[in-house]
Amino acid sequence: MTLKKLTILAMLGIMYLGLPFFVQAQTNSAFDRGLFVHKTDTLPYRILFPKKFNPTQKYPLILVLHGAGERGSDNEAQLAYGPKLFLNDTIRQNYPAIVVYPQCPKDSYWSNVNIDTTSGKRIFRFQEGGEPTRAMNALLGLVDQLLDKPYVNDKQVYVGGLSMGGMGTFEILRRKPKIFAAAFTICGGDNTNNAEKYAKKVPLWIFHGAKDSVVPFDHSQVMVDAIKAAGGDPKFTVYPNDDHNSWDDAFAEPQLIPWLFSHSK
């Protein structure tokens, strides 16, 4: 084989190795960049507008909260999971919506859960009440700002998240239960005493992997039980063979978006 052919093959190999990252970058570019700033609060976010967006119309709003691994300030990492669903041509055509992915700072957390690692394992102690974290406070401000937009339908505001974002979803529901028409949590958790604040006000679809080695499955199970005890009727989907990455299956659920859109305030 000639040196020229070897060089071409080497270049092709580099191109193929880089292709997934290139495709992801191209996909993520559909989300515009934004930055919420209010006093000392700042929160980067990415926003996807419907195709053929018309600012004189009103659209549903979907907030997606990422996990702890995607925290930072690059306004990019939070798009690691879920965008494929919202960029699906069929979804965008049949369920036009404004989709927002905020990014939690590296030194903060969506919920005010205390995480104890002294035993070598993560033990989550979810708080009842308490002041919002810096990230949650900024998120609440971003939600208020978005609701002021004339093109946002305040009767169809949805929120969901994975892992830390699932915990943040429960938390924002207890802080703003009257705003959200429906919500979903993936491998999240909350203090069961908080359930009564949103149990009968916000329809919930809860997902978890039965083999989750990071956020134990029972964190979702006890929330389902608590919500039911408080008068709610949550959907609960358990993936028997999933570890912590149950978001892969949850975001692939064909009824997730139709289910969200079936609810309004």
Side-chain angles (χ1 to χ4, degrees):
M1 187 176 292
T2 66
L3 179 60
K4 182 178 180 180
K5 286 184 178 179
L6 285 170
T7 302
I8 292 172
L9 286 173
M11 291 176 66
L12 285 172
I14 293 171
M15 288 173 64
Y16 283 127
L17 285 171
L19 189 59
F21 302 99
F22 174 76
V23 171
Q24 183 178 12
Q26 290 293 96
T27 298
N28 291 352
S29 68
F31 286 78
D32 294 327
R33 293 176 179 269
L35 181 66
F36 170 77
V37 180
H38 179 67
K39 296 182 180 179
T40 59
D41 288 330
T42 61
L43 196 70
Y45 64 89
R46 299 292 287 272
I47 184 167
L48 178 71
F49 289 96
K51 289 183 175 181
K52 299 180 180 179
F53 172 70
N54 183 345
T56 66
Q57 294 183 10
K58 289 186 177 292
Y59 297 93
L61 173 65
I62 304 174
L63 291 159
V64 186
L65 306 183
H66 63 80
E70 293 74 60
R71 289 176 296 174
S73 58
D74 64 354
N75 209 0
E76 184 74 30
Q78 75 267 35
L79 294 175
Y81 308 111
K84 182 179 177 181
L85 168 64
F86 302 108
L87 289 169
N88 179 283
D89 285 337
T90 301
I91 293 296
R92 297 193 76 184
Q93 179 179 342
N94 295 330
Y95 304 96
I98 298 167
V99 183
V100 177
Y101 271 76
Q103 186 178 32
C104 179
K106 197 73 175 178
D107 60 352
S108 192
Y109 217 75
W110 291 131
S111 72
N112 58 4
V113 57
N114 292 325
I115 305 174
D116 184 354
T117 58
T118 54
S119 66
K121 296 181 179 180
R122 292 187 187 90
I123 299 175
F124 298 90
R125 295 190 173 92
F126 300 100
Q127 304 302 298
E128 180 183 359
E131 293 298 315
T133 64
R134 184 164 59 89
M136 176 55 67
N137 196 57
L139 178 61
L140 294 169
L142 173 61
V143 171
D144 288 341
Q145 186 181 81
L146 290 168
L147 290 174
D148 281 340
K149 303 300 181 184
Y151 45 77
V152 169
N153 182 352
D154 62 7
K155 303 298 182 185
Q156 285 187 282
V157 181
Y158 310 108
V159 63
L162 57 99
S163 194
M164 175 189 74
M167 301 171 192
T169 297
F170 281 122
E171 173 136 347
I172 200 170
L173 291 184
R174 73 175 172 85
R175 295 188 183 278
K176 296 275 191 178
K178 295 181 180 179
I179 286 178
F180 299 99
F184 64 92
T185 68
I186 307 170
C187 53
D190 192 12
N191 187 306
T192 55
N193 291 333
N194 292 325
E196 63 179 2
K197 294 181 175 67
Y198 48 79
K200 293 190 287 187
K201 296 176 181 175
V202 186
L204 263 162
W205 191 346
I206 297 172
F207 303 89
H208 217 118
K211 297 180 179 179
D212 198 318
S213 58
V214 178
V215 180
F217 160 78
D218 62 3
H219 286 325
S220 281
Q221 180 65 70
V222 296
M223 288 310 302
V224 170
D225 295 341
I227 292 168
K228 288 181 176 179
D233 185 26
K235 287 171 64 71
F236 189 29
T237 297
V238 180
Y239 301 112
N241 297 313
D242 281 8
D243 198 325
H244 191 49
N245 65 329
S246 53
W247 52 78
D248 290 335
D249 283 328
F251 281 126
E253 287 285 348
Q255 290 303 309
L256 177 56
I257 300 301
W259 177 83
L260 283 177
F261 275 64
S262 70
H263 300 283
S264 62
K265 283 293 189 183

